[in-house]
Amino acid sequence: MSLVVKILGNDFLDKAPPLYYGGVLANVLGLHVFRTLYLNLWRLKPKKLGGEYQKHLDILEKDGILVLPDFFPKEQFDEIKNEYDEAYSGWSPFDYDPEKLSNRQKDFPEYFETIAEKIVSAKTPAFMKYFVNNEFITKLSEAVTHRTNNLPPHQHFWYLQKRSLEKGNVGNLHTAGFPHADVPYPTVKVFLYLNDVNEDNAAYIFAKGSHKLSLKRLLFEYKLSVSFARTRNDIAHEEDVHDLGYDCESICGKANTLFISNNMGYHNRGDFSNLEPRQTAQLDFRQLETWRNILTRKGSGIFSKVTRRFVKSFDKAIKKERRASISNNNMS
Ligand SMILES: [Fe+2]
């Protein structure tokens, strides 16, 4: 098995196809266009589910985003919010120590000098029961992506807040502040606002309809893929989205507003103009595109048993390799 790990790479099971891939020549020759077409095969539109789900899927098909105010019954929302508050007790957004920035934050030090951010990988009971294992969300994520959730999505609480009004707009100091697609195929992120959020405290921004694969979009993607391969720069602007025929729109909502977003569409983080926090709980269904999810097939058929065993052996081989390299390092 260790030979298989060597050939496929340690991250084989967990990586999803990235936004761009390959060198300059390959992208000039159209690699990104071909892989975008391939990655969208059979899934240009959400799967039909019928019944109570269909009207929501119709909106996701048309807009790429579904916004549902007052999503949870009040008691359930309150339970989630209590768990969220508990997760942040003892932390103050005004404590700033540049030494303590996470690796992700270190890429944008100027942004995080002004914006406090803390992400917690929560597994608290109400959050798990009502949100992470929510049947409605699971079904819609599967219909949009044409995949099956064999593994849970990435899940977290996320807190953002501007620390001071001294500096003006700092949103453009982070690439998340510019319109972008996460990947060139249908992928779902789900947000629950835990406080009231509007344009002043960084409401999520989405260009409705921009999740669709059109010829214009393909040409634009082609341009960005070549630019990215050349200079690692793939920044798009609101005008680009406008030229594609869409408008960037703030998704404002009261606490307990849920939205399901197909992040093949153009979206970005809003900016802060006051000191109100943006408190969210989020799910990211990118795990659906990984081999780990595909091979962790449920069921008792022989094929499922074999693929699940492959995943187990693969993980075992990686663990063994890690142990060996740690003991080598200790000896040297
Ligand atoms: Fe994004």
Side-chain angles (χ1 to χ4, degrees):
M1 192 39 120
S2 55
L3 180 65
V4 178
V5 173
K6 251 187 202 116
I7 294 168
L8 298 175
N10 277 8
D11 58 353
F12 166 73
L13 283 180
D14 295 298
K15 66 178 181 207
L19 180 56
Y20 301 115
Y21 179 81
V24 179
L25 181 63
N27 279 288
V28 168
L29 291 174
L31 171 67
H32 184 67
V33 172
F34 290 117
R35 64 189 285 275
T36 300
L37 290 171
Y38 167 72
L39 290 164
N40 281 279
L41 269 184
W42 316 117
R43 47 180 186 162
L44 285 169
K45 289 178 177 186
K47 223 175 354 186
K48 295 260 181 245
L49 288 184
E52 48 164 327
Y53 295 108
Q54 198 51 47
K55 68 172 190 237
H56 300 297
L57 278 172
D58 290 343
I59 295 172
L60 274 166
E61 182 182 337
K62 181 171 141 281
D63 293 340
I65 190 165
L66 170 69
V67 184
L68 300 166
D70 292 320
F71 183 74
F72 289 107
K74 189 178 175 318
E75 314 76 58
Q76 291 184 7
F77 175 78
D78 288 347
E79 276 185 61
I80 297 173
K81 180 69 164 79
N82 284 341
E83 292 176 354
Y84 180 94
D85 291 340
E86 179 69 23
Y88 288 94
S89 66
W91 174 76
S92 163
F94 296 100
D95 297 340
Y96 171 62
D97 181 352
E99 300 294 314
K100 285 190 181 151
L101 291 184
S102 68
N103 284 341
R104 278 177 70 258
Q105 292 171 335
K106 277 182 192 149
D107 288 339
F108 308 100
E110 286 175 81
Y111 178 81
F112 288 109
E113 203 182 303
T114 313
I115 305 290
E117 179 191 59
K118 189 173 163 80
I119 302 169
V120 177
S121 301
K123 281 198 165 56
T124 51
F127 174 64
M128 292 302 292
K129 186 174 168 192
Y130 305 133
F131 191 52
V132 181
N133 295 318
N134 186 289
E135 200 189 338
F136 175 81
I137 296 172
T138 304
K139 282 248 169 36
L140 291 196
S141 73
E142 292 184 343
V144 169
T145 57
H146 292 246
R147 299 282 190 247
T148 303
N149 280 290
N150 296 319
L151 299 171
H154 304 297
Q155 67 212 52
H156 33 252
F157 293 153
W158 200 317
Y159 188 114
L160 280 169
Q161 184 179 335
K162 196 169 189 176
R163 286 197 191 90
S164 111
L165 293 175
E166 274 166 35
K167 284 191 184 166
N169 291 353
V170 295
N172 58 6
L173 296 174
H174 196 304
T175 48
F178 293 92
H180 63 279
D182 286 349
V183 285
Y185 49 84
T187 189
V188 167
K189 279 189 182 166
V190 180
F191 296 73
L192 174 69
Y193 282 153
L194 293 162
N195 64 331
D196 298 349
V197 179
N198 60 34
E199 292 95 339
D200 294 323
N201 57 338
Y204 183 74
I205 295 173
F206 190 87
K208 285 182 179 168
S210 67
H211 62 297
K212 289 179 183 159
L213 188 61
S214 63
L215 187 59
K216 250 187 173 178
R217 165 84 186 253
L218 264 182
L219 291 172
F220 182 60
E221 289 260 348
Y222 173 80
K223 211 172 82 183
L224 286 187
S225 72
V226 174
S227 152
F228 185 75
R230 277 205 178 114
T231 63
R232 299 284 128 186
N233 178 5
D234 61 344
I235 296 275
H237 295 89
E238 204 176 326
E239 302 80 67
D240 297 314
V241 178
H242 201 256
D243 289 345
L244 287 171
Y246 311 108
D247 292 316
C248 297
E249 189 184 310
S250 291
I251 308 299
C252 303
K254 297 262 175 221
N256 201 13
T257 297
L258 179 116
F259 51 94
I260 299 180
S261 173
N262 177 352
N263 279 17
M264 180 175 167
Y266 280 89
H267 63 279
N268 59 290
R269 181 183 297 172
D271 213 344
F272 285 94
S273 59
N274 64 21
L275 299 181
E276 288 299 312
R278 183 183 99 167
Q279 299 174 312
T280 54
Q282 299 186 21
L283 300 176
D284 177 350
F285 286 86
R286 193 72 45 78
Q287 96 289 359
L288 290 174
E289 308 300 322
T290 63
W291 279 107
R292 184 181 296 281
N293 184 65
I294 294 165
L295 296 174
T296 311
R297 296 160 52 95
K298 288 176 181 142
S300 52
I302 180 79
F303 190 62
S304 303
K305 277 185 184 160
V306 168
T307 57
R308 285 203 301 264
R309 183 164 298 172
F310 174 84
V311 171
K312 255 193 187 160
S313 315
F314 197 93
D315 284 341
K316 234 185 188 171
I318 290 178
K319 255 191 201 159
K320 208 168 136 192
E321 226 169 68
R322 271 196 202 127
R323 268 203 302 270
S325 91
I326 289 170
S327 67
N328 279 349
N329 285 344
N330 286 345
M331 274 171 18
S332 55

